């Protein structure tokens, strides 16, 4: 079974690569309070189909580069951010 994480796309500036932020909850060893910790992963996105804010499931794969060891398995939820692309018909 491959390693799986759920996360949010926070960066799409690279070609065929997205930055995914994965949240995990941990318990402080002394205070015994839960807190959130975040880790960013560089993830391979072959079709460049992910957009900012998408919730994705990432899956471990062979090392594709020095920092890229995961690939996008599926887009769970599309982003709810309004993306305006101007049309030539509006002009």
């Amino acid at each position: 079974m491959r390693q799986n994480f759920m996360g949010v796309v926070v960066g799409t500036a690279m070609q065929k690569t997205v930055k995914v932020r994965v949240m995990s909850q941990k318990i402080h060893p002394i205070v015994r309070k839960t807190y959130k910790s975040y880790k960013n992963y560089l993830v391979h996105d072959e079709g460049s189909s992910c957009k900012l804010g998408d919730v994705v499931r990432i899956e471990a794969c062979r090392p594709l580069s020095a920092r890229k060891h995961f690939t996008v398995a599926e887009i769970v939820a599309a982003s709810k951010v309004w993306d305006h692309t101007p049309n030539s018909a509006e002009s």
Side-chain angles (χ1 to χ4, degrees), residues 42-61:
L42 291 183
V43 180
H44 184 67
D45 181 21
E46 182 62 38
S48 298
S49 56
C50 294
K51 295 180 178 62
L52 282 175
D54 286 353
V55 178
V56 295
R57 184 173 64 86
I58 61 174
E59 186 174 80
C61 65

Side-chain angles (χ1 to χ4, degrees), residues 8-63:
V8 179
V9 176
V10 294
T12 58
M14 300 155 279
Q15 296 176 2
K16 295 187 179 183
T17 303
V18 292
K19 187 188 291 187
V20 177
R21 186 178 201 193
V22 176
M23 189 267 301
S24 64
Q25 285 191 338
K26 298 180 180 180
I27 298 176
H28 192 277
I30 297 172
V31 184
R32 304 308 246 181
K33 182 178 179 179
T34 61
Y35 64 96
K36 296 176 184 177
S37 68
Y38 299 94
K39 186 169 181 184
N40 291 330
Y41 292 96
L42 291 183
V43 180
H44 184 67
D45 181 21
E46 182 62 38
S48 298
S49 56
C50 294
K51 295 180 178 62
L52 282 175
D54 286 353
V55 178
V56 295
R57 184 173 64 86
I58 61 174
E59 186 174 80
C61 65
R62 64 179 179 83

